[in-house]
Amino acid sequence: MSGLARMIGQRLALGAFTLLVVSMVIFAAIEALPGDFAEAILGQGATPEAVAAIRESLGMDRSPVERYFAWLGGVFSGDFGVSFNQLSFQSQYGQTGERDVVTVADQLAPRFANTIFLAATAAAVAVPLALTLGILAALYRGSIFDRAANVGTLTSISSPEFFVAYILILFLAAANPVFPSISKIHADLDFWERLYRTVLPALTLTLVVTAHMMRMTRVAIINLLASQYIEMARLKGVPRWRVIVRHALPNALAPIINVIALNLAYLVTGVVVVEVVFVYPGIGQMFVDAVKLRDMPTVQACCLVFAAAYILLNLLADVLSVLTNPRLRHPK
Amino acid sequence: MRTGRPLVTIRDLKIEGLAGEDWLPIVNGIDLDLARGEVLGLIGESGAGKSTVGLAAMGFTRDGCRIAGGSIEFDGIDLVAASEDARRSLLGRRIAYVAQSAAASFNPAHRLIDQHTEGPVLHGVSSLQESQEDAMALYARLRLPEPESIGFRYPHQVSGGQLQRAMTAMAMSCRPDLIIFDEPTTALDVTTQIEVLAAIRDIVDQFGTAAIYITHDLAVVAQMADRIKVLLKGDEVEENDTRAMLAEPQEDYTKSLWAVRSFRRPEQPPAGQGAVPVIAVAGVTAGYGTAPDVLHDVSFDVHAGRTVAVVGESGSGKSTVARCITGLLPPRGGEVRFNGEALPAGYRNRSKDQLRQVQMIYQMADTALNPKLRIRDIVGRPVQFYRGLRGAGLRRRVEELLEQIELEPALYIDRLPSELSGGQKQRVGIARALAADAQFIICDEVTSALDQLVAEGILKLLDRLQNELDLAYMFITHDLATVRAIADEVVVMKDGFVVEAGPKTEMFTPPHHDYTDLLLSSVPEMDPDWLDRLLEQRGVDNIGEAARGRID
Amino acid sequence: MGFLTYVVLPLAVLTGLAWTARAGFRSIAGPFGAVFRAMPLTAAFGLTVVLIYVLAALFAPAIAPYGESQVFDEFNLFPGENPDFVLGTDQLGRDLLTRLLYGGRNTIGIAFVTTALAFLIGATFGFVAAVLGGWLDQTVSRTVDVLMAIPQLIFALLLLTIFGQSTINMILVIAVLDSTRVFRLARAVGGNIVVMDYIEAAKLRGEGLGYLIFKEILPNAAAPLLAEFGLRFCFVFLLIAALSFLGIGIQPPLADWGTMVRELSIYIGYAEYGDWQAASLPLLPAAAIALLTVAINFTVDWMLDRYSGLKD
C-alpha cells in the first residue's frame, strides 16, 4: 500500500505544483502589460485619483516577487483585489465609503455558483447518457446504430457551441416559446425556476459534450475488447454480458474516468461561449466582459478559477485511475 | 490409446480472413481426426494457419475470420451448426484453450484463482470451494511454488513460466476432453520452457486429456505429440505418427524442414598467438541511467574471419554488450578496442571511420528498414555517406551489394521494404551493413524471427560473406542450434556476467559450468525420448527456474 | 418550410454531389487511386465539401457580387426585399452575401495560417525533443505541461487582454498555444519512430539531426501528422470563430463568420412572427462553420481508419 500512497502523494504534489506555476504565469500577465497601463485603461476619464489607485493596487513601488506573494496571499484569503472598473467608477463619482467598494471576490462568488449549477446540470445528463451510448456503440460495433452514432456525434462535435445554441433558441424559444432564450438567474429563484431557466444553455453543453464523451468511451471499450484476456474469457465459455461486466469493466474504469474528467474539463471552457449566448450570469460572461475592458484583476481571478477547476479535474482523474490500477493496488 | 469414435472430426475445413474489403482464404480444406486421449501436433511456419485450425476445433473464429465451408464435429456435436449457447456450454467445460502469452491472457484485474474457478462454477461443474481446492491441487501437480497461496496473487505478481503453468491448470479446471495448446512455450526462455513442457505433458498424461499442440518448433512437438500434422499456407502437407514422421518424412517440404538443422560451418582454428583482435571487449562494466550495473567486467575478443556467439537468456546482458560496443551505451568501466586502439565510449565521439567499422544487423527486419525508403536508398545511403559516391558510381555499388546478397538488382532496387519477404528484408539489412565496408558486424538474433528454412538461407549467406570478406561476426543469440551451426567461439552470459567462454567444440563437450550445462541440456532435440531421458538424468526438480536459482 | 429549403435541400444537393464525386474518386487509376477505392460516402461528402470551400475561399473576390466593405444606402435590408441583395444588407449597408463569402475566405485563411504556424513550431520542437531526448526534451515537455494545464480558450483570452486585441496577436497567441498539442503528438509519434532499429542504424552511421528528422522520421510521421493537421485546423477554426463571436477575435473591417453570427443574432426573434428567412440569417454563417468542420472530420475519420487499418 505504501507504493500506492506514495504514487498518489506524488500526483497531488505535482498537481499543487502545477497550480502554483499556473498562478505565476497568470500573475506574470500583469508584468507583461506594455506602457503605463493605468492611464491606458482609464483613457479619457482618467482622474489622478484613479490612476494613483490603480498604481497602488498594482503595487508598482514593490518588487514583482513581493507583489506576487502579496497577490497569492490575497487569493488564498479570497481577496482578488478590486476591479479596475470599480476603481474608475469610484474615481469619477467619488468614494462613498469603504463598505461600498465591490471587490472582485464579491462579484465572482454568486457567478461562480451559477456556473457550477449550469455545468453540473449539463454533466448530470451528459455523463450517464454518453457512457450508456458509448458502451452500446462499442458492443454493437459496425451496426447501423454504431454508424449512425458515428455520423451524429461527428456532426455534433464539429459544430460550434453557438450554432447548437442558436438552433435551440430558434426552435425552442423563438418559434415555439417553450423555454426562455435569455437566462435571467438571480439569488431568490427557487430550484425549479432556476432549472427551467437553465435548460437551454445546459442542453447546448450536453449536446456538445455527450458526443465527445460517447466517442471516447466507445474507443476505450473497443480497445479493451481486443485484449487477449477478453478472448480467453470467451473461450472459457463466459456469457457475453459477464465478459463485459466482469472482465472488461474493471479494466475500463481508468480510461472511462479519464474520458469523463477530460470532458468535464472541456465543459469548463465551453461554458464561456454558452453563457454569452444566453446572457447567463456566470463567470464565463464576466470573464469576457473583463477581457473586453482589459480589467486585469477580474481577468486574473476568472483565469485562476477556470485553470484551477481544470487542473483539479485532471488531478482527480489521475488519482482515481491510479486507484483502479491492479498493478499499483497490489504491488509485487 | 485410440478407442471408440474420434473426439474431433474436421472435414474439408475452409476458413477465410477479411483483408480490407475482400475475403481471402487462410485455410483451404483441411481434414483432421483426433481420438480421445490423443495428442496431435500441428506444425508449420508462420502463415500456415495452425492457430486458425486450432481455434476452429473449438468452433471459434477470431474477428475478421469466418468458416467458409466444411464441418467440425466434436464428440458428435456439429460445431458449425450449433447455436451460440450450445457452443458456449462446451467451451471451458469440455474444450479448453491455453494461449501463447499467459501474461496477456490473464485478466489483470482479478486474482489467478478467481479466474480459475470462474469456469467450473459458471458451468456448474463444481462448487467454488471444491474448485479452489482443486486449483491448489493442480498448482501442486504442475510444480508451482507455494501452491496453497500462489492463486491468491494477481497475474503481474507471478513470473511468465509460472503464469503459463497456471493457465494450464485453469484449462484443466473442468477436466475437459480436449485442450488446445497454442504455442504455449514460444515466448519463454529455453530453461523455463523445459519445465512448462514437462508440466504440461505430465498433467495431460494424468487425466488422459486429448490435445492439439500447436507450435513451429519440431523438437518441442516431438516431445509432446503422438501424431504430427504438417501444414503449409493453409494446406496439409502430411500426417503420421511422431516416430514415423521423424524417421522418414515423405514430402519434400517436410524433409527440408527436418534437414534445416544440419547446416554446420566448419570451425575455424583459434586465431594465432599475438594476433590483434578486430574487436576486444576489455573489462566492460555498464548500466542504464542511475540504475545498478547490468554488465560486470565483461571481456572477450573477436578475431578477423571468426564468429563469436554470445549466448544467454533474456536479462543476461547480451544485448547490452552490443550497445556498449556500438557506443550507444557508454560503459562505466573498461573499454572497447578496435584493431588494438581504444574506441571512444560514446558513438557521438567516434569518427566517421570508426563508426563505419562497426555495423549491426537486427533481429526484426521490419523495424530495421525504414518502410518509406526504397532499397536503393537504404543500401545506397551508407555508400554515399562513407565513400561519397554519387550517380552512376553509387548505383553500380548498390547493384554489386544486392548481387552479393543474392537479390536480382533490376528486380529489387526500386522496391519498398513492404514489397519484400521476411528473408529478403533481412538480406537487405545485411547489404546495408556490407555497404559500410565494415570489418566487424554484430548480428543481433538475426534468425530468430524467421522461419527455419529462411533462417538457414541467411546463415549460409553470412557464412559465404565471412569467407569472402574476412569479416568478424559477433552473434547474439539465445538459440543454441544457431550457435552450433555458425560459431567458432562461444561466450555464455548470465545476469551480466560471463560464466564461460571458449572454442565451440570445448563448450559443447563436458565438463561445463553448471549454467552452461543447464542451458545446453534444456535445448529440445528431435528425439521423442529426449525429455524423458532429461528428466531421468537431471531429476524433475533440477530443471527450469529451480535449477537456475541454485546457480550463482 | 424554411427548414426544407435551408437545411434539407442543400444537404441533399451536397450528398448527391458527393455521390457523384465518389464515383470519380474511385475511378482514379494507379497506386494513388487505390486510396480512394473503398471510400465511404461520408468521406466523399467531406472531401467534396472541403474542395468547394477551398475554391470559394480562393475565388471569393470573383464570386462575390460586391467588394468586401462596399457600403450601400440601403441598410438593414431583409433577405428577399431587394433582388440586388439576395440575403439583404447589414446595419452599415453592406451586402450580406458578399460578407458571407469574404467572411469564409478570411476565417478559413486565418485559421489555416494559424494552424500551419502551430505545426511549424510544434512539430519542430516535438521531433527534435524525440530525437535528442535528455534535458532539452525534459525542459520543453514540462513547459508544455504547464501551458496545457490552462484551458486554451481561457489562456487565449488572458493573453489577448495583455497584448491587445488584434488579428495578428490572435494568430500568434493561438498558434503558440495550439503548438503545444502538436508538440505532444509529434513527440509521441517521433518517439515511436525513434526507437526503431533503422533510426539506431542511422545514428550509428553518424547521420546528423537534419537527416534523421527529414529523411528518416518525417516520411513515417506524415500520415498521422496530416490527420492531426485536419483536426487541429478544425479546433483552431472553431476557436477563432468562438473568439470572434465573443468580439475578441478577428477585428473589423475584416469580414468573418464568428462576428457575423453575433451581429445577426438579433434577427432570430423574427421566428416568432413566422419570418424564417430573417430568423435563420445568424444560422447561415454558423452552419457554414459547422459544415466545414463536419466535412474535415469525416475526411480525417476515414484517413485515420485507413491508417490504422494499414498498420496491422
Side-chain angles (χ1 to χ4, degrees):
Chain A
M1 272 321 272
S2 80
L4 190 65
R6 201 174 60 235
M7 192 102 181
I8 289 176
Q10 272 174 0
R11 301 290 158 106
L12 290 177
L14 189 69
F17 178 73
T18 312
L19 259 178
L20 197 72
V21 175
V22 164
S23 78
M24 283 184 209
V25 170
I26 292 173
F27 177 79
I30 278 198
E31 299 300 312
L33 288 177
D36 191 334
F37 187 72
E39 276 179 40
I41 191 70
L42 295 175
Q44 294 291 319
T47 60
E49 293 84 13
V51 172
I54 286 178
R55 285 216 176 117
E56 193 201 318
S57 87
L58 289 176
M60 290 304 189
D61 45 337
R62 288 178 292 166
S63 80
V65 181
E66 245 180 289
R67 267 179 280 147
Y68 169 69
F69 282 108
W71 176 72
L72 196 65
V75 168
F76 273 115
S77 55
D79 175 14
F80 291 93
V82 180
S83 83
F84 289 168
N85 220 11
Q86 287 288 326
L87 287 174
S88 171
F89 182 80
Q90 284 160 17
S91 71
Q92 285 177 37
Y93 299 99
Q95 194 116 0
T96 47
E98 283 293 312
R99 300 295 305 163
D100 286 335
V101 176
V102 185
T103 65
V104 174
D106 294 336
Q107 289 175 294
L108 202 63
R111 283 169 170 267
F112 181 67
N114 288 345
T115 296
I116 292 287
F117 183 76
L118 171 58
T121 312
V125 183
V127 172
L129 185 68
L131 292 188
T132 316
L133 291 177
I135 292 172
L136 284 177
L139 280 185
Y140 300 102
R141 177 159 51 132
S143 67
I144 301 281
F145 166 70
D146 181 32
R147 271 180 282 176
N150 183 37
V151 172
T153 52
L154 259 187
T155 310
S156 174
I157 53 176
S158 307
S159 308
E161 286 100 347
F162 51 75
F163 182 51
V164 179
Y166 281 125
I167 287 185
L168 290 179
I169 291 183
L170 184 64
F171 289 105
L172 293 179
N176 315 293
V178 186
F179 296 104
S181 67
I182 289 180
S183 309
K184 290 193 193 108
I185 306 277
H186 42 86
D188 20 283
L189 287 177
D190 70 31
F191 176 79
W192 294 111
E193 184 60 26
R194 181 183 271 255
L195 191 64
Y196 171 69
R197 296 187 184 187
T198 311
V199 164
L200 282 188
L203 194 57
T204 310
L205 285 172
T206 304
L207 284 176
V208 179
V209 171
T210 303
H212 244 129
M213 218 182 322
M214 174 183 165
R215 288 180 74 84
M216 291 163 79
T217 309
R218 175 182 176 275
V219 170
I221 301 273
I222 283 178
N223 284 342
L224 208 74
L225 289 182
S227 348
Q228 286 181 35
Y229 57 80
I230 297 294
E231 181 177 291
M232 192 70 208
R234 290 175 65 194
L235 287 173
K236 267 163 53 178
V238 177
R240 200 181 169 88
W241 63 268
R242 195 179 153 93
V243 170
I244 300 293
V245 173
R246 175 141 177 96
H247 290 273
L249 220 51
N251 295 291
L253 283 179
I256 287 178
I257 288 168
N258 275 315
V259 167
I260 294 176
L262 213 67
N263 283 282
L264 292 185
Y266 178 81
L267 260 184
V268 169
T269 321
V271 104
V272 174
V273 170
V274 172
E275 283 186 3
V276 169
V277 173
F278 292 96
V279 205
Y280 185 94
I283 39 175
Q285 209 203 12
M286 176 179 174
F287 186 35
V288 172
D289 288 342
V291 168
K292 284 185 185 158
L293 296 167
R294 305 187 77 187
D295 185 347
M296 223 48 223
T298 313
V299 169
Q300 279 178 324
C302 294
C303 238
L304 202 62
V305 169
F306 279 123
Y310 193 79
I311 292 169
L312 289 176
L313 276 170
N314 282 318
L315 183 65
L316 189 69
D318 217 17
V319 169
L320 283 177
S321 39
V322 168
L323 283 174
T324 58
N325 186 336
R327 281 170 193 278
L328 297 168
R329 250 188 347 194
H330 310 281
K332 286 197 176 183
Chain B
M1 268 202 202
R2 273 182 274 170
T3 50
R5 69 169 172 194
L7 184 63
V8 180
T9 314
I10 293 180
R11 287 290 170 269
D12 197 27
L13 177 67
K14 293 192 174 82
I15 298 178
E16 295 174 339
L18 193 61
E21 299 270 282
D22 314 309
W23 290 95
L24 300 178
I26 298 177
V27 173
N28 340 305
I30 280 186
D31 296 342
L32 184 149
D33 289 285
L34 185 69
R36 285 177 187 279
E38 186 188 31
V39 179
L40 173 72
L42 270 188
I43 65 166
E45 303 180 332
S46 49
K50 28 188 210 306
S51 288
T52 314
V53 172
L55 285 170
M58 309 180 73
F60 185 88
T61 46
R62 293 217 163 102
D63 285 343
C65 291
R66 67 173 184 199
I67 295 174
S71 67
I72 306 164
E73 243 178 57
F74 173 81
D75 200 17
I77 306 164
D78 182 349
L79 290 182
V80 179
S83 72
E84 183 76 34
D85 280 344
R87 246 180 315 197
R88 213 191 54 235
S89 76
L90 291 176
L91 291 179
R93 187 167 62 92
R94 299 196 59 196
I95 317 175
Y97 181 74
V98 174
Q100 174 171 351
S101 167
S105 297
F106 270 111
N107 192 324
H110 300 297
R111 296 177 304 183
L112 295 180
I113 203 154
D114 297 334
Q115 302 190 46
H116 184 105
T117 56
E118 183 177 20
V121 173
L122 211 61
H123 289 300
V125 173
S126 54
S127 71
L128 183 65
Q129 180 72 27
E130 287 164 2
S131 178
Q132 284 201 352
E133 280 161 17
D134 183 53
M136 292 170 195
L138 285 171
Y139 292 154
R141 175 91 203 184
L142 287 160
R143 315 191 65 80
L144 282 165
E146 303 165 46
E148 301 290 319
S149 63
I150 193 169
F152 295 92
R153 296 199 209 152
Y154 284 84
H156 68 273
Q157 296 168 319
V158 178
S159 80
Q162 293 169 355
L163 271 185
Q164 204 68 48
R165 280 176 282 164
M167 187 153 58
T168 306
M170 184 161 82
M172 273 296 171
S173 60
C174 296
R175 300 294 185 276
D177 300 307
L178 169 66
I179 301 185
I180 314 290
F181 290 98
D182 193 353
E183 306 244 17
T185 62
T186 306
L188 303 175
D189 274 327
V190 63
T191 53
T192 314
Q193 160 170 289
I194 215 67
E195 84 194 314
V196 175
L197 288 180
I200 288 178
R201 215 180 56 170
D202 173 63
I203 205 149
V204 168
D205 278 352
Q206 191 201 350
F207 296 114
T209 315
I212 295 179
Y213 196 100
I214 300 164
T215 180
H216 66 278
D217 191 330
L218 297 167
V220 165
V221 85
Q223 314 309 317
M224 309 302 286
D226 302 321
R227 265 187 314 143
I228 295 178
K229 185 195 276 293
V230 183
L231 300 184
L232 174 66
K233 291 180 182 142
D235 286 305
E236 175 178 327
V237 179
E238 63 177 311
E239 181 185 327
N240 209 338
D241 286 342
T242 301
R243 282 170 200 281
M245 185 74 126
L246 291 173
E248 40 194 322
Q250 302 297 313
E251 300 294 321
D252 287 345
Y253 174 71
T254 322
K255 284 179 192 159
S256 68
L257 278 183
W258 268 225
V260 158
R261 297 185 167 235
S262 62
F263 174 70
R264 284 288 154 86
R265 174 174 181 264
E267 189 177 334
Q268 306 293 306
Q273 282 288 318
V276 178
V278 176
I279 283 286
V281 178
V284 164
T285 299
Y288 294 93
T290 54
D293 292 345
V294 291
L295 284 188
H296 310 272
D297 193 23
V298 171
S299 302
F300 59 88
D301 294 341
V302 188
H303 288 273
R306 303 291 190 283
T307 300
V308 171
V310 178
V311 190
E313 299 184 277
S314 48
S316 63
K318 54 189 195 302
S319 297
T320 310
V321 176
R323 292 178 71 82
C324 289
I325 297 176
T326 55
L328 280 169
L329 180 71
R332 289 175 180 164
E335 61 181 16
V336 177
R337 287 191 291 269
F338 176 77
N339 283 339
E341 258 177 68
L343 287 171
Y347 76 94
R348 284 175 218 262
N349 303 322
R350 294 186 185 174
S351 71
K352 220 170 169 176
D353 201 49
Q354 285 169 330
L355 288 171
R356 182 176 70 79
Q357 295 291 2
V358 177
Q359 291 294 313
M360 273 200 76
I361 305 170
Y362 296 88
Q363 171 178 9
M364 308 296 292
D366 280 321
T367 63
L369 306 181
N370 189 333
K372 298 288 176 185
L373 292 184
R374 300 197 176 273
I375 306 308
R376 67 157 75 246
D377 297 317
I378 293 174
V379 178
R381 178 66 190 176
V383 176
Q384 184 193 356
F385 188 76
Y386 291 126
R387 282 196 181 182
L389 286 181
R390 290 177 185 282
L394 176 63
R395 190 185 167 97
R396 237 190 338 273
R397 176 66 184 144
V398 172
E399 284 173 352
E400 209 176 285
L401 286 163
L402 289 183
E403 271 159 20
Q404 272 186 326
I405 57 159
E406 296 153 18
L407 288 184
E408 176 65 37
L411 221 55
Y412 291 99
I413 197 163
D414 281 320
R415 290 206 190 176
L416 289 170
S418 56
E419 294 159 345
L420 301 180
S421 72
Q424 289 170 336
K425 282 182 218 173
Q426 198 55 287
R427 282 167 190 263
V428 172
I430 295 173
R432 179 174 61 189
L434 294 180
D437 302 306
Q439 287 184 38
F440 174 68
I441 296 178
I442 299 173
C443 304
D444 186 358
E445 305 268 14
V446 283
T447 56
S448 54
L450 300 173
D451 288 322
Q452 292 180 16
L453 281 173
V454 183
E456 192 197 13
I458 296 289
L459 290 184
K460 284 181 176 161
L461 172 68
L462 285 170
D463 173 48
R464 206 198 75 218
L465 293 168
Q466 184 168 38
N467 294 336
E468 284 173 18
L469 304 168
D470 202 27
L471 295 170
Y473 289 150
M474 172 177 148
F475 250 80
I476 299 170
T477 183
H478 68 277
D479 179 19
L480 289 154
T482 310
V483 176
R484 279 209 179 96
I486 202 160
D488 300 310
E489 287 165 51
V490 183
V491 174
V492 182
M493 291 191 68
K494 178 175 183 280
D495 302 331
F497 289 95
V498 173
V499 289
E500 206 175 0
K504 174 170 70 176
T505 23
E506 258 174 48
M507 297 296 295
F508 281 102
T509 29
H512 311 289
H513 181 274
D514 283 350
Y515 179 67
T516 315
D517 190 52
L518 175 68
L519 203 59
L520 286 177
S521 63
S522 299
V523 180
E525 287 167 21
M526 295 280 271
D527 175 0
D529 300 319
W530 169 81
L531 185 58
D532 294 322
R533 260 205 329 269
L534 178 82
L535 292 175
E536 212 169 281
Q537 281 169 9
R538 290 192 72 99
V540 73
D541 285 318
N542 197 24
I543 54 171
E545 283 170 23
R548 205 167 56 226
R550 278 199 291 275
I551 302 166
D552 291 323
Chain C
M1 282 314 93
F3 185 71
L4 262 184
T5 25
Y6 287 112
V7 180
V8 178
L9 194 64
L11 281 183
V13 170
L14 281 174
T15 313
L17 253 177
W19 193 277
T20 338
R22 180 166 71 158
F25 285 130
R26 281 181 166 177
S27 66
I28 296 176
F32 187 67
V35 174
F36 299 103
R37 203 164 56 90
M39 190 180 205
L41 188 61
T42 47
F45 178 85
L47 266 185
T48 313
V49 171
V50 171
L51 230 70
I52 294 175
Y53 270 74
V54 169
L55 290 178
L58 286 176
F59 298 108
I63 309 169
Y66 310 105
E68 182 174 1
S69 307
Q70 204 174 344
V71 177
F72 296 91
D73 276 344
E74 316 199 36
F75 32 88
N76 285 335
L77 273 185
F78 271 38
E81 243 183 310
N82 182 337
D84 287 344
F85 308 101
V86 184
L87 293 178
T89 55
D90 66 7
Q91 73 280 7
L92 295 178
R94 294 173 299 193
D95 177 45
L96 278 179
L97 180 61
T98 308
R99 293 295 282 175
L100 199 64
L101 282 165
Y102 273 99
R105 180 182 163 92
N106 294 335
T107 319
I108 294 172
I110 288 173
F112 185 81
V113 169
T114 311
T115 316
L117 201 59
F119 261 74
L120 195 69
I121 304 169
T124 311
F125 275 101
F127 286 143
V128 171
V131 176
L132 293 183
W135 63 267
L136 181 100
D137 180 25
Q138 286 300 317
T139 316
V140 182
S141 292
R142 294 297 82 77
T143 313
V144 163
D145 285 349
V146 171
L147 290 181
M148 285 180 74
I150 309 177
Q152 224 162 1
L153 177 69
I154 309 298
F155 209 168
L157 286 172
L158 174 73
L159 291 177
L160 285 174
T161 321
I162 300 163
F163 297 117
Q165 294 148 29
S166 75
T167 309
I168 294 292
N169 279 351
M170 183 196 66
I171 292 177
L172 293 176
V173 162
I174 295 180
V176 169
L177 291 183
D178 210 55
S179 69
T180 56
R181 319 254 156 175
V182 184
F183 169 83
R184 281 260 176 103
L185 180 87
R187 167 83 184 68
V189 172
N192 284 339
I193 299 173
V194 161
V195 295
M196 294 287 171
D197 293 329
Y198 58 83
I199 300 292
E200 185 182 304
K203 277 184 178 175
L204 289 177
R205 200 185 302 142
E207 301 283 6
L209 189 60
Y211 177 88
L212 285 176
I213 291 180
F214 287 105
K215 289 283 183 172
E216 301 275 0
I217 298 181
L218 209 53
N220 289 292
L225 275 189
L226 188 63
E228 181 70 5
F229 190 90
L231 295 180
R232 294 306 341 143
F233 174 83
C234 284
F235 188 86
V236 167
F237 184 66
L238 287 176
L239 186 62
I240 289 178
L243 284 174
S244 304
F245 173 77
L246 297 174
I248 304 163
I250 299 175
Q251 299 295 322
L254 285 183
D256 80 86
W257 286 344
T259 311
M260 285 183 77
V261 175
R262 175 169 39 93
E263 286 175 349
L264 295 172
S265 66
I266 42 167
Y267 284 103
I268 208 157
Y270 283 92
E272 215 177 318
Y273 315 113
D275 189 345
W276 285 88
Q277 278 191 337
S280 50
L281 267 182
L283 291 182
L284 224 54
I289 295 170
L291 186 61
L292 177 59
T293 43
V294 170
I296 294 177
N297 267 312
F298 278 162
T299 317
V300 169
D301 202 44
W302 166 65
M303 276 173 63
L304 286 176
D305 226 39
R306 267 195 64 87
Y307 177 67
S308 62
L310 281 176
K311 263 200 305 197
D312 47 43

